[in-house]
Amino acid sequence: MSRGPLPRYLIPSLLAAVLISSAFMANSILRTQFQQAPDVNGAVLAAPLVLPNFELRNHRGELVNKADFFGRWQLISYGYTQCPDICPTMLSSLVGFQKLLDKEKQFKDLQVQFYSIDPEHDSIEKLANYVPWFDGRFIGLRADDPAQAAIFERSMGLQSYRMDEAELASVNVAAKLSGPEIAHGFRLYLLDEQARLRASLAPISTRDGSKYYEAEALLKDYLALRQWFAKQR
């Protein structure tokens, strides 16, 4: 994650991000006409959003498409392995979340995924050395083909922006040496067992602008969502 204010580097005009945001807003309004969705730190879709087919590769070198997401709920995080702060902090919080979920009696059919927005540098080997280090059950994903990356990222509205040379010149030397500077969103995306987008979860924001996930709060929101979705069937 690049240093400096996040909004400066994000591209809010990305069509996919706008469409997804609009879908969440529209469904938020629709929720008032039906059973009230749980009050979570994030956004809930009243109607599932069907994802297009995609082709990715996991950190074990195996091809992954939409059908491979069927049968289990998915929690999608994203970032890149050379991210200096946000990504490792987020994944550490997900480790705590997973440990708490292990103690629950239901809704344990969840797979945590980490999708790389920097496949140019994040090889399969790098993902294999990075993602399982946090938890051996977590799966790293990347796209071999830029077209496939675009399909997957736009389908959920994942936002990222690589800094150009002028912007890199404005950051400190340590940041330049640490790897690529990529600004990206910080939400988590919850897919159901039919690979449909159901909700996004947002980090906790502090008065000083810091953002972070808390394992206990994340578990509470996740369980509330799963219980609510189960009642809708």
Side-chain angles (χ1 to χ4, degrees):
M1 179 71 180
S2 64
R3 295 163 176 78
L6 183 61
R8 174 185 174 190
Y9 302 118
L10 288 179
I11 305 179
S13 60
L14 284 173
L15 177 60
V18 172
L19 291 175
I20 296 300
S21 298
S22 298
F24 277 119
M25 292 176 63
N27 280 280
S28 178
I29 296 173
L30 287 173
R31 286 204 312 273
T32 62
Q33 302 177 28
F34 302 97
Q35 182 178 352
Q36 183 64 41
D39 183 16
V40 299
N41 191 34
V44 184
L45 281 171
L49 181 63
V50 178
L51 300 185
N53 196 24
F54 51 80
E55 186 173 281
L56 306 174
R57 195 175 295 275
N58 64 28
H59 71 259
R60 294 187 287 268
E62 302 164 337
L63 286 176
V64 175
N65 56 41
K66 187 171 75 169
D68 293 306
F69 281 5
F70 290 174
R72 296 191 72 182
W73 287 65
Q74 310 289 330
L75 188 62
I76 309 295
S77 62
Y78 68 108
Y80 61 109
T81 64
Q82 296 184 69
C83 178
D85 39 35
I86 296 299
C87 297
T89 300
M90 173 183 64
L91 285 168
S92 294
S93 297
L94 286 172
V95 170
F97 161 79
Q98 182 69 68
K99 290 180 178 178
L100 292 174
L101 181 60
D102 290 341
K103 300 177 182 178
E104 296 293 322
K105 296 182 179 179
Q106 57 181 348
F107 306 130
K108 299 168 69 171
D109 56 332
L110 180 72
Q111 177 62 60
V112 175
Q113 310 265 7
F114 178 80
Y115 171 77
S116 172
I117 54 174
D118 185 29
E120 178 182 348
H121 296 94
D122 287 345
S123 63
I124 292 173
E125 181 180 5
K126 281 189 176 180
L127 284 175
N129 289 330
Y130 183 77
V131 178
W133 184 86
F134 291 93
D135 189 301
R137 294 167 291 182
F138 291 0
I139 295 178
L141 298 171
R142 69 184 298 278
D144 295 335
D145 181 0
Q148 291 298 317
I151 290 173
F152 185 73
E153 293 171 20
R154 290 173 184 170
S155 68
M156 291 190 294
L158 307 188
Q159 294 181 323
S160 65
Y161 176 62
R162 187 181 295 271
M163 294 170 60
D164 59 28
E165 293 184 3
E167 291 167 325
L168 282 172
S170 69
V171 301
N172 60 56
V173 175
K176 296 178 191 178
L177 295 177
S178 66
E181 282 292 316
I182 304 175
H184 60 87
F186 197 21
R187 282 182 178 257
L188 301 172
Y189 295 85
L190 183 63
L191 309 182
D192 66 17
E193 73 278 18
Q194 297 181 50
R196 302 177 302 179
L197 180 61
R198 303 304 301 268
S200 69
L201 295 171
I204 297 170
S205 298
T206 62
R207 290 184 177 180
D208 65 1
S210 300
K211 296 179 184 294
Y212 66 96
Y213 283 101
E214 185 179 75
E216 291 80 4
L218 190 56
L219 177 70
K220 180 181 178 181
D221 285 350
Y222 167 72
L223 293 177
L225 287 170
R226 289 295 305 270
Q227 291 165 359
W228 186 72
F229 288 135
K231 292 178 181 178
Q232 306 309 303
R233 298 180 177 180

